């Protein structure tokens, strides 16, 4: 049975960020994901806000052109334009960004198991847990000193660790196009429409190369795929999609209750969507994801060296929730 200091379940942005940071610190890390390619089943639009771009070193060639203009549309499609002198948003090429982070993690010594499904866990001792995984229909087990649940909004790792789970979310779906003519500077268009996007927004994001067209809202209030098609048709005359090529469809659940309260114990912790570390407000969901993953790497490094539970105390959702509510 292989032994690792940390096993990370899920190779989305949060899991990858945590893996590469821990690997660089000499921690023996296993990173697993049920997908064989990180380009498959991407859930996020990939919008990074200025604060993230200033504080994190993201590879330039994995980002679209800067976006300084936002257009907000009322339910009657009356536009209100907002423009900033600063680069407020950039859209990440998320498949390429994931692959770059994965390459950096592997270079730092992280072991990568793609096409691997998490089955469950059992506590071996206070400092050791057995993880059961499945690859190509074969079950195998590994021993780890700590677990990171980066397995999405409906995290099985959270359940098995006895940590909090998301209970409130919206559902989003979008199409990504290439070949859409863009007039003027790249822009972020936000549409308020209680039918097409009940409880959230519909959007068109153009960064000069790709165009994202999507809708989001409470799942019980609408059919996301049907709403997306209706929204796309309503854009005739505003955005020319006639000759465009759809490269992919993205979709998934987005937690909206804020960072969960109990996101760590001596067996493991949660990052990304599993921890509720997203905020659909101001399209800034990836910022708390990046920050929480960095904090996770710091806390895990200290905990592994001391096995003192007090090292996990800074990793509590209570402080983060107060910031979320005020925001």
């Amino acid at each position: 049975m292989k032994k690792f200091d940390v096993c990370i379940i899920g190779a989305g942005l949060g899991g990858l960020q945590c893996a590469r940071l821990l690997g660089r610190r000499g921690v023996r890390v296993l990173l697993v994901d049920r997908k064989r390619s990180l380009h498959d089943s991407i859930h996020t639009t990939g919008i990074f806000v200025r604060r993230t771009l200033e504080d994190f070193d993201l590879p330039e060639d994995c980002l679209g052109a800067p976006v300084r203009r936002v257009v907000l549309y009322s339910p009657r499609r009356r536009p209100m334009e907002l423009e900033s002198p600063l680069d407020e948003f950039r859209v990440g090429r998320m498949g390429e960004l994931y692959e770059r982070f994965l390459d950096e993690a592997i270079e730092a010594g992280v072991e990568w198991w793609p096409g691997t499904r998490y089955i469950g866990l059992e506590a071996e001792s206070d400092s050791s847990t057995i993880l059961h995984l499945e690859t190509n229909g074969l079950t195998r087990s590994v021993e780890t000193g700590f677990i990171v649940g980066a397995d999405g909004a409906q995290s099985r790792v959270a359940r098995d660790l006895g940590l909090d789970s998301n209970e409130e979310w919206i559902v989003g779906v979008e199409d990504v196009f290439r070949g859409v003519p863009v007039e003027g500077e790249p822009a972020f268009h936000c549409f308020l429409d209680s039918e097409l996007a009940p409880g959230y927004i519909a959007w068109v994001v153009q960064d000069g190369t790709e165009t994202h067209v999507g809708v989001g809202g409470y799942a019980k209030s609408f059919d996301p795929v049907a709403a997306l098609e209706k929204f796309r048709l309503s854009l005739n005359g505003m955005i020319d999609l006639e000759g465009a090529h759809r490269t992919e469809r993205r979709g998934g659940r987005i937690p909206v209750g804020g960072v969960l309260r109990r996101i760590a114990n001596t067996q493991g912790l949660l990052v990304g969507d599993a921890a509720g570390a997203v905020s659909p407000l101001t399209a800034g969901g990836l910022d708390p994801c990046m920050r929480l993953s960095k904090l996770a790497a710091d806390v895990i490094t200290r905990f592994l060296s001391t096995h003192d539970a007090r090292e996990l105390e800074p990793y509590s959702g209570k402080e983060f929730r107060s910031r979320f509510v005020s925001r």
Side-chain angles (χ1 to χ4, degrees), residues 11-47:
L13 185 65
L16 288 164
Q17 168 76 341
C18 196
R20 67 182 190 134
L21 293 177
L22 288 172
R24 289 169 178 173
R25 298 172 189 183
V27 178
R28 293 174 299 167
V29 178
L30 171 65
L31 174 65
V32 308
D33 195 283
R34 59 183 178 79
K35 297 185 294 184
R36 295 189 177 279
S37 170
L38 297 185
H39 287 266
D40 297 337
S41 301
I42 294 173
H43 297 304
T44 177
T45 298
I47 299 175

Side-chain angles (χ1 to χ4, degrees), residues 11-260:
L13 185 65
L16 288 164
Q17 168 76 341
C18 196
R20 67 182 190 134
L21 293 177
L22 288 172
R24 289 169 178 173
R25 298 172 189 183
V27 178
R28 293 174 299 167
V29 178
L30 171 65
L31 174 65
V32 308
D33 195 283
R34 59 183 178 79
K35 297 185 294 184
R36 295 189 177 279
S37 170
L38 297 185
H39 287 266
D40 297 337
S41 301
I42 294 173
H43 297 304
T44 177
T45 298
I47 299 175
F48 291 96
V49 297
R50 175 161 51 90
R51 186 181 175 204
T52 316
L53 298 167
E54 291 173 346
D55 292 351
F56 293 91
D57 185 21
L58 298 174
E60 182 71 22
D61 60 338
C62 294
L63 299 172
V67 178
R68 296 186 172 191
R69 187 167 66 97
V70 174
V71 186
L72 179 64
Y73 297 85
S74 74
R76 293 180 178 272
R77 297 289 173 95
R78 292 173 180 161
M80 179 175 69
E81 294 202 21
L82 305 170
E83 190 154 359
S84 171
L86 303 173
D87 297 341
E88 296 294 344
F89 305 101
R90 295 188 73 173
V91 183
R93 309 274 187 264
M94 298 310 292
E96 287 84 352
L97 182 61
Y98 288 170
E99 291 288 354
R100 184 69 57 82
F101 277 13
L102 177 60
D103 289 344
E104 293 177 1
I106 293 173
E107 186 177 343
V110 172
E111 190 160 334
W112 165 233
W113 291 5
T116 299
R117 185 171 66 91
Y118 166 78
I119 297 176
L121 59 84
E122 53 184 296
E124 185 78 358
S125 66
D126 290 342
S127 60
S128 177
T129 300
I130 304 300
L131 280 185
H132 302 298
L133 308 167
E134 181 185 286
T135 307
N136 296 326
L138 299 176
T139 301
R140 49 183 171 173
S141 300
V142 298
E143 183 179 345
T144 184
F146 204 75
I147 305 160
V148 175
D151 53 334
Q154 295 177 287
S155 170
R156 293 184 61 192
V157 174
R159 178 199 65 189
D160 292 349
L161 288 176
L163 300 174
D164 288 350
S165 298
N166 294 293
E167 297 181 354
E168 185 179 8
W169 45 65
I170 59 177
V171 176
V173 61
E174 73 169 12
D175 286 333
V176 183
F177 295 94
R178 288 205 169 211
V180 179
V182 178
E183 295 183 7
E185 297 296 317
F188 185 4
H189 302 268
C190 304
F191 298 79
L192 300 176
D193 189 314
S194 60
E195 180 182 352
L196 293 175
Y200 192 46
I201 61 170
W203 62 88
V204 176
V205 181
Q206 296 176 298
D207 67 1
T209 302
E210 294 184 334
T211 297
H212 298 249
V213 178
V215 296
Y218 287 101
K220 294 181 180 179
S221 304
F222 80 137
D223 179 337
V225 175
L228 177 60
E229 179 64 16
K230 186 174 181 180
F231 177 52
R232 185 184 64 79
L233 293 173
S234 75
L235 295 172
N236 288 338
M238 180 181 298
I239 297 172
D240 182 9
L241 296 173
E242 188 65 30
H245 169 61
R246 189 180 80 178
T247 59
E248 60 181 308
R249 170 163 287 181
R250 301 178 179 179
R253 296 190 177 209
I254 309 168
V256 292
V259 177
L260 301 172

